[in-house]
Amino acid sequence: MDWLKREWELDRSTGEKNKQTRRQSLTAVWKATGKKPKALKTGEPPAELLYIMGLMRQFDTGGQMDWQQIAGWQQVTGHKLTPLEIDVIRAIYDARNAPS
């Protein structure tokens, strides 16, 4: 979960008026200076998460997950998630949305 937490921190808003994420802001610094900020060096995701993260990218809105969201995605794509996949996705959402 450490890799996920580092990634989520980059996707949080910087709180500025333009509503940039930290990732967008740091990427702009990288482009301007040619030096990659340390915060952008999150490493590779664990291999075990690649499959689940690929699924989540298809229906993740960045907020709380609800069952309607998953059910709608399953209906549209025809992909039926296993109970284990749903448990892992819920754990990821819960970890992401837990108070810091």
Side-chain angles (χ1 to χ4, degrees):
M1 287 291 195
D2 289 340
W3 176 84
L4 284 171
K5 288 179 183 179
R6 289 190 302 271
E7 286 291 312
W8 294 330
E9 284 301 316
L10 289 172
D11 291 331
R12 292 188 194 269
S13 171
T14 58
E16 297 172 6
K17 291 180 184 178
N18 63 7
K19 305 212 184 213
Q20 267 192 328
T21 64
R22 187 162 186 245
R23 183 186 312 276
Q24 291 167 324
S25 179
L26 290 170
T27 300
V29 169
W30 182 12
K31 287 179 181 178
T33 65
K35 184 176 179 186
K36 187 174 188 177
K38 186 176 179 179
L40 287 176
K41 298 176 185 177
T42 60
E44 292 297 315
E48 299 85 6
L49 284 180
L50 290 177
Y51 171 73
I52 292 291
M53 297 305 292
L55 293 176
M56 286 181 64
R57 269 190 223 103
Q58 296 179 40
F59 59 82
D60 186 13
T61 62
Q64 290 284 56
M65 178 200 69
D66 62 39
W67 292 110
Q68 292 172 332
Q69 199 176 346
I70 289 179
W73 175 82
Q74 290 183 113
Q75 185 176 13
V76 168
T77 64
H79 183 98
K80 177 83 170 128
L81 295 171
T82 68
L84 177 60
E85 290 169 336
I86 291 173
D87 288 346
V88 171
I89 289 168
R90 288 200 51 111
I92 290 170
Y93 269 94
D94 290 346
R96 179 177 67 191
N97 294 313
S100 299

